[in-house]
Amino acid sequence: MSTLVLDSVSRWFGNVVAVNDVSLTISPGVTGLLGPNGAGKTTLMALMTGFLAPSAGTVLLDGQPVWRHTEAYRQIGLVPERELSFGYLTGRQFVRANADLHGLDDAGAATERILGVVDMVEPASRNLDTYSKGMRQRVKIAAALVHDPALLLLDEPFNGVDPRQRMHLMDLLRRLGDEGRTVLFSSHILEEVERLARHIEVVVSGRHAASGDFGAIRRLMTDRPVQYAVTSSDDRALATVLIAQPSVRAVRLRPDSGLDVEVADLGSFAVGLPQWARAHGLTLLDLSPSDESLESVFAYLVNR
């Protein structure tokens, strides 16, 4: 079992700060690294695998620095987001090449063993450029696991994978976590993380926004104030009605038409709005969330 620790880690490129003072601990089991695109997840993965040196802070695997520490590299497996560029190789050749790069004495046996683990023995004799996206993801995982690392890092492993293959990959990662490996996967989709990870780390704009089990993170996200745009047959009258409701924090008239409504209790607001409108003879013409992007959710976590 291995534990990965980031202590006050930052990474900048010239004047651009990609990762800003991040401290977190990744323990055995499956952990989700959640954040919108551009949040710094890939840079964090590069720091964790020793591909990038921290500009400040330390990255430690079982107490040893990852950067320029060869023995630490032997305990790490990486599944990058980028597509494979070795389409002329068979799946077996690709995995065997990674086994040889690690200098395994039993490279052939290790290759066949791990192909079995990811259920890729039968198609292993085909070229990579004939594989589906899900098959390519599985053979990348095989290559990352062939040297039996304690830590497995996967960057957006479910991107472009069909639902059946997604379920297969999730089952595989659960098994690896149950074996005692430390498995960290990144995603920008909350539902993917919810279905797989028991622990979640949230990053946005290179900053660590939240940490904990999924229930705690979900509560932080759903308890935040929500913004809605509402248009009715009489916006001023509706504003008067809404501002009196405990579930509504603020109401603003838009310059053209409609209202901006800040809601503190989404459940009560959703149930009450049609009832309040009907009771006052008002007709709701349009209702839409105005800040439901993933970026706005994470920004709330950072600034709460």
Side-chain angles (χ1 to χ4, degrees):
M1 295 186 179
S2 290
T3 300
L4 183 70
V5 177
L6 279 69
D7 184 10
S8 302
V9 171
S10 297
R11 173 70 196 195
W12 49 82
F13 301 90
N15 294 326
V16 177
V17 179
V19 172
N20 186 5
D21 194 28
V22 171
S23 294
L24 52 84
T25 299
I26 309 298
S27 301
V30 181
T31 297
L33 182 63
L34 179 64
N37 290 326
K41 302 189 298 296
T42 298
T43 301
L44 277 172
M45 290 273 186
L47 290 163
M48 293 173 183
T49 53
F51 289 163
L52 280 178
S55 301
T58 56
V59 181
L60 302 176
L61 180 61
D62 296 333
Q64 297 295 319
V66 173
W67 175 246
R68 289 183 174 174
H69 184 61
T70 305
E71 291 307 310
Y73 298 161
R74 298 185 186 281
Q75 296 302 311
I76 300 171
L78 173 66
V79 181
E81 182 182 10
R82 65 180 180 274
E83 284 295 329
L84 294 172
S85 57
F86 306 100
Y88 53 89
L89 296 178
T90 66
R92 179 172 286 103
Q93 289 170 335
F94 177 72
V95 177
R96 175 60 186 265
N98 281 271
D100 290 337
L101 286 172
H102 279 283
L104 300 184
D105 293 333
D106 57 346
T111 297
E112 295 307 314
R113 177 187 62 82
I114 205 63
L115 286 171
V117 169
V118 301
D119 194 22
M120 286 292 289
V121 173
E122 184 176 347
S125 59
R126 289 166 44 192
N127 284 7
L128 295 175
D129 57 10
T130 69
Y131 285 2
S132 68
K133 179 63 181 286
M135 294 169 70
R136 291 196 298 273
Q137 289 295 81
R138 277 189 282 160
V139 84
K140 283 197 292 185
I141 292 174
L145 288 174
V146 71
H147 59 296
D148 197 28
L151 171 65
L152 179 64
L153 304 171
L154 307 99
D155 194 3
E156 297 278 1
F158 306 112
N159 268 2
V161 177
D162 67 50
R164 183 179 64 85
Q165 295 277 18
R166 182 179 291 110
M167 290 299 298
H168 189 285
L169 288 174
M170 286 186 175
D171 288 342
L172 173 60
L173 296 185
R174 287 191 194 98
R175 294 203 310 270
L176 294 172
D178 290 343
E179 291 174 1
R181 296 183 199 267
T182 301
V183 179
L184 175 70
F185 74 98
S186 68
S187 177
H188 62 282
I189 300 175
L190 184 61
E191 287 72 19
E192 287 181 351
V193 178
E194 177 182 9
R195 293 170 64 181
L196 181 57
R198 70 184 187 188
H199 185 88
I200 298 175
E201 302 290 344
V202 183
V203 294
V204 60
S205 300
R207 295 173 59 194
H208 190 207
S211 177
D213 63 51
F214 179 80
I217 301 299
R218 174 62 99 173
R219 284 192 295 274
L220 284 173
M221 290 181 170
T222 55
D223 288 349
R224 73 188 178 97
V226 178
Q227 301 284 341
Y228 277 93
V230 184
T231 305
S232 71
S233 56
D234 188 336
D235 293 332
R236 288 186 177 275
L238 181 61
T240 301
V241 173
L242 293 180
I243 201 63
Q245 306 304 324
S247 61
V248 176
R249 292 182 55 169
V251 180
R252 291 176 292 276
L253 283 166
R254 289 188 162 191
D256 44 3
S257 65
L259 305 171
D260 287 320
V261 183
E262 185 174 303
V263 178
D265 185 339
L266 181 57
S268 298
F269 177 77
V271 172
L273 180 60
Q275 299 174 356
W276 305 328
R278 188 182 308 113
H280 291 82
L282 302 171
T283 301
L284 297 174
L285 303 177
D286 184 69
L287 172 66
S288 59
S290 54
D291 68 343
E292 282 297 277
S293 69
L294 198 59
E295 287 80 0
S296 70
V297 174
F298 293 147
Y300 168 73
L301 293 177
V302 171
N303 296 317
R304 73 187 192 281

